[in-house]
Amino acid sequence: MPRRRDVHRSLSLLSLLALLAAGATAPARAGETLDAVRLRGEVVCGVSGQAIGFSQTAPDGTRSGLDVDMCRAVAAAVFGDADQVEFVELSNADRFDALRYGEVDVLIRNTTWTYARDTTLELTFTGISYYDGQGFLVHSDAGIRTLEDLDGKRICYKTATTHALNLETIFAARDLAFEPMPMDETDLAVLMFQNRRCDALSSDQSELFGIRSALAAPDTAYVMPLLISKEPLGPSVRQDDPEWANIVEWTLFAMINAEELGVTRANLAEMQSSPDPAVQLLLNGAESEAGTLGLAAGWPAQVIAQVGNYGEVFDRNLGAESPIGIKRGLNALWTEGGLMYAPPFR
């Protein structure tokens, strides 16, 4: 795992001077994070590093996944260079403190947006990059196909997540019981499942599809179509810098709007001269008025050119072009029956 930054070292010189000048009591001024990121020369992005399809690291050190591409998109928006990003791998337990105390600039780590997290952890969610739900991975030959079939069964799940509460809630509502088997790490939960120490592995369904695809014999496991919760996943930032929140938020919105408008990496040059006013506002109107977000004019075009629109990112990491092969489903555009929707650039 890459060396993690020391929390105190992550404060930039500008941030430290600002805190000293304010007696370390006033909230950070708007734009402080962007200044610190530019001074450092890279966006520091908190990821999992072990979530197949979202954030995984190959033996040669290269990273891939929907979350990884979202981090790269923010770097493309800020610097015009998607490679100006440092990835910090975080566990479920330390991800929020890492963001709150300045170890990372943005957390894009398949993290569910919930009321408690949004209101008590001094962070702000900036959109939904994936609509997910908690489900179950079971052994294909076990004959488990419904929630009732799981009555009394051993269920593995990760700690420091929303999974335990979701399981307790749905099982109690159905007057069912299960034997909880909480695990600190995903790898351990998968090992327990493979060794049949648990009858089911419960997690976000997207993660279960990824886990299944990585098994030596994927056909021995079955992802149940049942969802027992809402798990809207998305980036989050510290609560004290609305300008930085807007940058992360509108980077995601740019990618969603680009897909809806048919703007891709392949046709970007052609679309730059499109007569469609909506396309022009997206590609050439952003930051036409100085100081809106503090980014260079035309920054959405850099995001699309270097990373792609939302559909392209989904397909290569989770969808048809990936080994996982997840259907768009809820993550299809709103115009195609899904929930993926972004405010317009106007």
Side-chain angles (χ1 to χ4, degrees):
M1 184 173 77
R3 178 179 63 82
R4 290 177 50 196
R5 291 171 173 263
D6 179 84
V7 170
H8 301 291
R9 287 178 54 208
S10 68
L11 286 173
S12 70
L13 178 60
L14 286 177
S15 300
L16 181 58
L17 290 175
L19 287 172
L20 290 173
T25 58
R29 67 174 178 81
E32 179 178 300
T33 305
L34 180 59
D35 287 343
V37 166
R38 283 179 167 153
L39 183 66
R40 188 191 310 121
E42 60 189 4
V43 176
V44 182
C45 190
V47 296
S48 165
Q50 301 178 38
I52 299 172
F54 287 87
S55 168
Q56 56 195 114
T57 308
D60 65 359
T62 58
R63 297 180 185 270
S64 63
L66 186 141
D67 289 350
V68 167
D69 279 343
M70 290 295 169
C71 294
R72 297 180 69 248
V74 174
V78 172
F79 294 107
D81 183 351
D83 292 330
Q84 287 185 240
V85 57
E86 178 185 349
F87 297 97
V88 176
E89 294 184 6
L90 301 169
S91 70
N92 287 328
D94 65 11
R95 54 185 163 170
F96 298 120
D97 281 346
L99 177 62
R100 184 163 55 221
Y101 296 127
E103 186 176 358
V104 297
D105 302 310
V106 56
L107 180 66
I108 310 182
R109 190 198 176 282
N110 53 310
T111 297
T112 302
W113 185 350
T114 71
Y115 170 79
R117 290 172 176 175
D118 199 27
T119 61
T120 66
L121 296 181
E122 300 174 25
L123 56 82
T124 296
F125 283 87
T126 60
I128 298 172
S129 55
Y130 190 90
Y131 290 91
D132 212 343
Q134 187 171 338
F136 300 93
L137 181 70
V138 297
H139 304 287
S140 297
D141 61 3
I144 298 174
R145 294 295 182 269
T146 68
L147 190 67
E148 285 70 24
D149 293 334
L150 287 167
D151 189 22
K153 298 294 192 295
R154 299 163 299 176
I155 301 179
C156 288
Y157 57 88
K158 290 180 297 183
T159 58
T161 67
T162 56
H163 299 153
L165 178 60
N166 291 336
L167 288 169
E168 292 165 2
T169 301
I170 191 68
F171 273 75
R174 300 287 186 88
D175 197 24
L176 303 173
F178 70 97
E179 183 179 340
M181 299 189 68
M183 304 289 160
D184 291 335
E185 300 294 338
T186 299
D187 288 347
L188 179 57
V190 173
L191 182 62
M192 293 288 283
F193 175 77
Q194 288 180 294
N195 291 336
R196 292 185 176 261
R197 296 291 301 277
C198 49
D199 302 295
L201 174 59
S202 188
S203 186
D204 291 350
Q205 193 179 73
S206 62
E207 183 175 27
L208 298 178
F209 276 111
I211 290 171
R212 180 184 180 277
S213 71
L215 296 176
D219 289 344
T220 63
Y222 172 72
V223 178
M224 297 171 61
L226 170 71
L227 295 178
I228 65 170
S229 71
K230 295 182 293 184
E231 304 294 336
L233 312 180
S236 57
V237 298
R238 286 182 294 280
Q239 213 169 46
D240 59 4
D241 193 337
E243 182 183 69
W244 182 247
N246 280 338
I247 289 171
V248 176
E249 175 182 59
W250 280 94
T251 298
L252 171 60
F253 291 163
M255 298 169 76
I256 297 171
N257 274 299
E259 182 186 9
E260 182 178 338
L261 293 170
V263 182
T264 68
R265 298 176 77 179
N267 69 11
L268 177 63
E270 176 186 350
M271 295 295 278
Q272 291 275 14
S273 57
S274 168
D276 186 336
V279 173
Q280 284 301 311
L281 285 170
L282 171 66
L283 299 181
N284 303 313
E287 296 301 293
S288 59
E289 296 183 10
T292 304
L293 288 181
L295 303 179
W299 61 265
Q302 291 293 334
V303 172
I304 298 160
Q306 298 184 46
V307 182
N309 67 35
Y310 179 82
E312 292 175 294
V313 170
F314 184 99
D315 285 345
R316 70 170 171 259
N317 292 302
L318 296 166
E321 299 173 13
S322 77
I324 304 173
I326 299 177
K327 295 181 180 180
R328 286 291 292 268
L330 296 177
N331 294 288
L333 292 175
W334 68 284
T335 54
E336 299 175 4
L339 299 178
M340 198 53 65
Y341 184 102
F345 274 74
R346 64 169 184 258

